[in-house]
Amino acid sequence: MADEDKLDRARDLLDFIDRSPSPYHAVAEARRRLEAAGFTALDERETWSLRPGEQAFLIRGGGALIAVRAGSRPPSESGFLIVGAHTDSPGLRIRPCPDVHASGYLQLAVELYGSPLLFTWLDRDLGVAGRVTLRGGSTRLVDVDRPVARIPSLALHLQRGVNQEGLKLDAQEHLLPVLRMESAGESRSFVAELGTSTEDVLGWDLCLYDVQPACLGGAANDFLFASRLDDLVGCHAAISALVEAAPREITQLVVLYDFEETGSQAASGAHSRWLLGVLERLVGGSDLSRALARSLLVSTDMAHALHPSHANKHDPAHAPILGGGPVVKHNANQSYATDGPAAAVFAEACRAAGFAPQRFVARNDLPAGSTIGPIAAALTSIRTVDVGNPMLSMHACREMAGARDVDPMIRALVELLSRGQPPDPDC
Ligand SMILES: [Zn+2]
């Protein structure tokens, strides 16, 4: 494939990211792409069953989505092939009583979401996106797509020594974005920025985000510079691969969970029974265990790439690099769910797509975190492989990954979905 074609996939990812400033927008964008490919919405409250080859999706909690293309054989005979990812990213969420009036400024009260790298949120041009629920119960997406807020850093002159001693931020005191100036006696509200009257807004789930668009970067366009790469890269790859894959005997699914960054303990998180419940309905009888025993979950979340200035943070033999292609993530203690046979299935798909995957194992003295894979694997007992594209600046407000890793991940997932062969349950 020509280099420009590979970068086309990267550009499509950048578009996906810019359209997804919150988990709710990520689901809306996934929905838009699925509908364009002929998938139709299912209502979980209703009874439904899918004909062979039928394509449908469900949304839970606004920020999670399951898409399915029914196989030509019953799942009890051919299993499920599931690609998983997560829609949420670490950052700052706006508290329900947001207005802080201090020293002539209107500031916003925020709550940490997940584990962001705090200093990376300073001096960014911040917009606001998410959803609001109005009087009467209607919920709509909002995106204040302009730099309405900023968390100014403290001048060097007022904190001499910060470069030597390191920046210490108090998450309660030092992360309040400034929204506007207020005159004496004035008391404005953040809600006015949402384009609706204060009394009408009864609830919200709102994130701050950097309004700088995602872009290709580096002297040779080697890189992606963007917010929320973790894990919109996985969401984009999963949806792209499902849309592209041909129908097969096996039932193909994508699950985009919310709340991975908080530990997945949520109704639309990997700790929920949601996926299992949908699989139960797809089986439609008493053969769920047979179907699960024939199934594979490919959990695609980002992987830690080797940082050139911190090379000692990696095991030298398991140190993925940007541009080196997708990574299989291993952890003998099940922070990643990958086992030998599942790793082999993914490696085979990569080989068929024309490359060999990189491998990651954390140093013994530096645990590297976890993801949706082991949690969903424990709940469903489905064999699982944890994979992902390599990245730097993980959990920063603006992150960095390899532009030429986007295409191979999608091709490997298409290969897996299109093979339609369930993994051997005996090994
Ligand atoms: Zn992630």
Side-chain angles (χ1 to χ4, degrees):
M1 179 182 272
D3 190 48
E4 265 313 301
D5 292 342
K6 281 190 185 181
L7 288 180
D8 276 350
R9 298 254 218 204
R11 290 191 182 94
D12 186 58
L13 166 62
L14 300 178
D15 186 51
F16 184 92
I17 291 171
D18 285 339
R19 290 167 180 262
S20 306
S22 77
Y24 316 106
H25 289 81
V27 163
E29 175 59 12
R31 174 185 189 143
R32 189 183 72 79
R33 289 171 178 240
L34 290 166
E35 286 180 336
F39 286 73
T40 54
L42 292 175
D43 186 338
E44 282 198 273
R45 296 166 297 186
E46 306 299 330
T47 54
W48 45 259
S49 61
L50 299 185
R51 297 181 306 278
E54 195 171 345
Q55 311 182 115
F57 64 88
L58 305 119
I59 292 172
R60 175 63 71 91
L65 176 145
I66 290 176
V68 56
R69 180 183 291 123
S72 60
R73 293 179 68 197
S76 56
E77 304 296 329
S78 58
F80 300 109
L81 215 157
I82 307 165
V83 181
H86 67 90
T87 60
D88 61 319
S89 304
L92 304 175
R93 300 283 174 100
I94 298 176
R95 291 177 182 247
C97 302
D99 300 325
V100 177
H101 307 278
S103 308
Y105 292 92
L106 173 59
Q107 290 179 287
L108 276 176
V110 295
E111 186 177 15
L112 297 189
Y113 178 80
S115 305
L117 269 175
L118 296 184
F119 69 90
T120 65
W121 283 82
L122 303 181
D123 300 330
R124 300 277 175 179
D125 301 344
L126 301 176
V128 175
R131 60 181 183 178
V132 295
T133 300
L134 304 173
R135 188 186 300 275
S138 69
T139 296
R140 62 177 173 87
L141 296 182
V142 293
D143 182 6
V144 183
D145 183 18
R146 58 194 172 88
V148 287
R150 183 179 175 104
I151 308 169
S153 56
L154 183 64
L156 177 101
H157 318 74
L158 305 182
Q159 51 174 346
R160 298 261 183 215
V162 64
N163 289 334
Q164 293 72 39
E165 292 152 19
L167 178 63
K168 291 197 177 67
L169 289 171
D170 180 316
Q172 178 68 19
E173 303 291 333
H174 298 154
L175 290 175
L176 283 74
V178 295
L179 196 70
R180 63 174 301 148
M181 302 305 297
E182 290 180 320
S183 326
E186 212 177 20
S187 187
R188 293 175 178 272
S189 173
F190 156 74
V191 181
E193 303 304 324
L194 300 176
T196 183
S197 78
T198 314
E199 309 80 61
D200 287 343
V201 178
L202 299 186
W204 67 51
D205 301 287
L206 294 171
C207 323
L208 287 160
Y209 74 98
D210 187 342
V211 297
Q212 184 179 355
C215 65
L216 292 175
N221 281 341
D222 287 330
F223 309 127
L224 304 170
F225 299 152
S227 299
R228 304 177 302 284
L229 289 169
D230 176 10
D231 181 30
L232 293 182
V233 173
C235 295
H236 172 264
I239 294 294
S240 302
L242 181 64
V243 164
E244 218 166 286
R248 288 288 187 264
E249 291 186 349
I250 200 165
T251 294
Q252 304 156 335
L253 290 103
V254 161
V255 56
L256 306 183
Y257 289 114
D258 199 353
F259 298 111
E260 190 273 347
E261 300 293 352
T262 65
S264 295
Q265 191 82 26
S268 51
H271 242 301
S272 73
R273 232 187 138 273
W274 190 38
L275 175 63
L276 203 53
V278 171
L279 298 181
E280 254 167 19
R281 294 180 76 165
L282 288 168
V283 170
S286 58
D287 284 332
L288 181 64
S289 297
R290 290 177 63 206
L292 299 181
R294 294 177 189 277
S295 298
L296 178 74
L297 170 62
V298 184
S299 152
T300 171
D301 197 356
M302 301 306 278
H304 293 291
L306 182 73
H307 191 305
S309 304
H310 300 274
N312 62 350
K313 297 292 185 187
H314 275 73
D315 179 304
H318 305 90
I321 57 166
L322 301 187
V327 180
V328 181
K329 302 189 279 188
H330 299 257
N331 180 270
N333 298 293
Q334 293 294 291
S335 289
Y336 302 124
T338 309
D339 67 0
V345 171
F346 187 75
E348 284 279 7
C350 293
R351 184 150 67 176
F355 66 95
Q358 306 190 83
R359 307 280 181 152
F360 174 75
V361 186
R363 289 174 58 102
N364 286 326
D365 54 359
L366 203 59
S370 188
T371 179
I372 55 170
I375 299 168
L379 267 164
T380 60
S381 296
I382 293 176
R383 170 164 283 157
T384 298
V385 56
D386 272 299
V387 304
N389 280 354
M391 73 177 295
L392 295 171
S393 313
M394 192 182 282
H395 287 202
C397 181
R398 201 166 163 86
E399 301 170 321
M400 175 170 173
R404 291 176 182 83
D405 296 328
V406 178
D407 174 70
M409 174 61 90
I410 295 170
R411 283 190 292 116
L413 295 177
V414 170
E415 190 63 41
L416 265 178
L417 290 165
S418 301
R419 290 169 68 184
Q421 288 292 323
D424 182 350
D426 293 331
C427 60

